Amino acid sequence: MTSTTALPTTALGTTRVGAQGYGAMGISEFYGPTDAAEARATLERALELGVTLFDTADMYGSGHNEEFVGEFVRAHRESVVLATKFGLERRADDPGFRGINNSPEYIRAAVDASLGRLGIDVIDLYYMHRKQDGVPIEETVGVMAELVAAGKVRQLGLSEVTGPELRAAYAVHPIAAVQSEWSLFSRDVERAVVPAAAELGVTFVPYSPLGRGFLSGAVTPTGELPEGDYRRLHPRFSGDNAVRNAEILAPMHVIAAARELTPAQVALAWVHARARVHDLPVVPIPGTRSRTRVAENVAAATVELTAAELETLDAIADLVAGDRYADMKFSSAGRE
């Protein structure tokens, strides 16, 4: 296995972060029960290993995730770059409801609520989680820029935007990072938004770089997902699609065995390699609630795959069965 032990750093707007971050979403919901003590230990272990970008959102656990991560952030405030998001609304009386709200009133209320739950004075990186139809991106970013001027936010980010939307936003205020799904299973962002980010010098933050567990082997087509696991709603995890998507991963498993790596490390190493392919900073944010898994993930950041291995892996995305969302309005690809 070709790797080193130290996690390198990379640019994120005006600061630098470890070249791999941490996605905290699964601590609060979506993937079944969480051992809170192990989850907190996992955050601590990630920081020890050089991870500095920790990613949450106000909608994860309807605020619980920010509260949980906030305690950790406050204990290590000078070492952590904290990212959170606004824009996806939930309803207490309808757990399955997901609405998109980019109104100025909502944004101003959301940032104050997030700061309160996190227990900090300023958010390092504040994302628009999703774009609302009919609301120009320039207007949304204009309101976000007010938050920077007010000292509530240091840098701005956008999630699941198209290339033209990113350019329009950047013309209003510098954008430090754009976040979208990007993995061996999901490469639609390479059509327009990745080139736009590279042109503008915007860091790309891939979420679900392990295909929501499919690429790591945590999910198999024969294993029943637990009740309440939101992946039940995703087409790629259902029926014949799931069987097909497991079959196309055979080349990845061959490479992993030959290199004495785990499948997750091969999948993450491929994502890290996109930084060189597209000439832009890339900071994937895999999520885990296990100290062992977080160490495994971080080790992948320094694995260098060969040109032949990368070529073999590149072919996988074209074979994937099923969209990444049941409703593609929640993705930039749905607007391209």
Side-chain angles (χ1 to χ4, degrees):
M1 163 174 147
T2 304
S3 68
T4 59
T5 54
L7 181 63
T9 64
T10 193
L12 180 70
T14 58
T15 189
R16 293 191 70 80
V17 296
Q20 187 163 285
Y22 179 90
M25 181 181 76
I27 290 174
S28 297
E29 59 177 333
F30 301 110
Y31 299 126
T34 292
D35 179 326
E38 178 64 15
R40 175 58 192 261
T42 300
L43 294 174
E44 296 283 351
R45 182 62 176 143
L47 185 61
E48 289 173 2
L49 292 168
V51 173
T52 54
L53 176 63
F54 290 82
D55 183 275
T56 181
D58 60 2
M59 65 87 67
Y60 300 160
S62 298
H64 170 268
N65 203 251
E66 287 184 325
E67 293 172 352
F68 188 94
V69 173
E71 182 182 355
F72 163 78
V73 171
R74 293 192 301 274
H76 304 285
R77 191 66 189 101
E78 298 306 312
S79 303
V80 168
V81 174
L82 187 281
T84 192
K85 314 176 193 73
F86 73 88
L88 279 178
E89 283 188 298
R90 303 184 70 173
R91 293 176 179 167
D93 60 350
D94 183 1
F97 176 79
R98 301 288 186 275
I100 302 175
N101 193 337
N102 292 167
S103 71
E105 298 78 15
Y106 181 84
I107 296 169
R108 293 175 184 128
V111 71
D112 288 339
S114 286
L115 286 167
R117 285 187 292 266
L118 291 162
I120 58 179
D121 296 326
V122 59
I123 294 166
D124 300 313
L125 176 61
Y126 200 43
Y127 284 102
M128 178 194 75
H129 208 161
R130 292 293 188 275
K131 182 185 180 301
Q132 183 180 358
D133 288 343
V135 179
I137 193 78
E138 296 91 339
E139 291 184 12
T140 302
V141 174
V143 178
M144 295 170 72
E146 294 175 8
L147 306 181
V148 176
K152 296 180 180 183
V153 172
R154 289 197 171 104
Q155 300 197 89
L156 303 183
L158 302 170
S159 179
E160 289 288 356
V161 294
T162 66
E165 288 165 354
L166 176 57
R167 289 189 174 90
Y170 200 95
V172 176
H173 189 279
I175 303 298
V178 60
Q179 181 176 142
S180 282
E181 186 170 352
W182 196 8
S183 72
L184 285 171
F185 263 17
S186 301
R187 296 182 60 187
D188 54 80
V189 293
E190 295 181 31
R191 291 195 296 264
V193 69
V194 168
E199 173 190 320
L200 296 169
V202 175
T203 298
F204 206 101
V205 178
Y207 73 79
S208 297
L210 295 175
R212 296 182 171 85
F214 223 128
L215 297 170
S216 67
V219 177
T220 66
T222 56
E224 184 71 14
L225 291 168
E227 192 67 34
D229 191 308
Y230 94 122
R231 289 170 293 191
R232 286 171 170 257
L233 306 175
H234 287 251
R236 293 178 176 177
F237 292 84
S238 302
D240 292 342
N241 286 351
V243 174
R244 170 64 173 163
N245 291 335
E247 291 173 348
I248 65 175
L249 295 179
M252 182 187 73
H253 290 284
V254 170
I255 292 170
R259 294 287 298 272
E260 297 184 353
L261 299 167
T262 66
Q265 288 174 324
V266 173
L268 283 171
W270 180 89
V271 176
H272 283 288
R274 307 320 283 166
R276 296 187 295 275
V277 172
H278 294 281
D279 192 25
L280 82 170
V282 174
V283 185
I285 50 169
T288 179
R289 295 167 288 178
S290 160
R291 283 171 285 181
T292 301
R293 285 286 193 183
V294 81
E296 174 186 328
N297 292 344
V298 169
T302 49
V303 170
E304 293 190 12
L305 299 171
T306 68
E309 289 167 339
L310 290 170
E311 184 177 1
T312 297
L313 295 168
D314 284 348
I316 289 175
D318 290 337
L319 304 175
V320 174
D323 287 332
R324 53 190 179 99
Y325 287 103
D327 185 347
M328 287 295 283
K329 77 177 182 184
F330 290 104
S331 74
S332 59
R335 296 191 305 279
E336 289 182 343

